[in-house]
Amino acid sequence: MECLLRKNLISKYDLKKCKQNLESLIEEYIRVRYSYKNINDWGEDFYTKGMAYKFSEVPSGKINYSDRIGDAVAFKIDNENEAERMQQDFDSLLLKLTDQEKDFFQIVLLQKRAQRIVEDKYRITKTALEPFKQSCILKACLHFEIAVLK
């Protein structure tokens, strides 16, 4: 089981800027995750939407990136790769967090729900949650290499 980061390490970083960077990264993660989900939901229609022919009907086996179908295929592949990479990064981060940090990350940062939910779950006060919160934010920023020193 992982442990919390120490106060002397946390005090070396600007947590306000770290949290802003982390929130930007989470917004990008959510955008990528849902744009990839939308592409998968479209299925075959994604390739044929607004096109006169299907990719399977193209005689050459090579993707030509200068045509509409090639652009659509490249876009889908790039989104799929980015979504999978980001999902792996977030999954590996969750392995590094304690249970309290994990709940804070998933409930407060990812789902944008009230911090009070985590406080109620562990029956602690806002002040008692603060070390978990700070440690979670800094661990995530260090993991994604977006931490800002003071």
Side-chain angles (χ1 to χ4, degrees), residues 31-44:
R31 184 198 64 78
V32 167
R33 187 170 72 183
Y34 285 105
S35 66
Y36 174 62
K37 181 187 178 311
N38 289 340
I39 291 171
N40 276 344
D41 289 347
W42 291 336
E44 188 69 23

Side-chain angles (χ1 to χ4, degrees), residues 4-5 8 15 36 42 48 58 68 79 81 84 90 93 97 105 122 130-131 135-136:
L4 293 177
L5 296 177
N8 60 356
L15 284 180
Y36 174 62
W42 291 336
T48 59
V58 177
R68 291 155 109 201
N79 266 333
N81 291 339
E84 288 175 359
F90 274 82
L93 168 66
L97 301 177
F105 185 81
Y122 292 103
E130 197 63 26
S135 181
C136 173

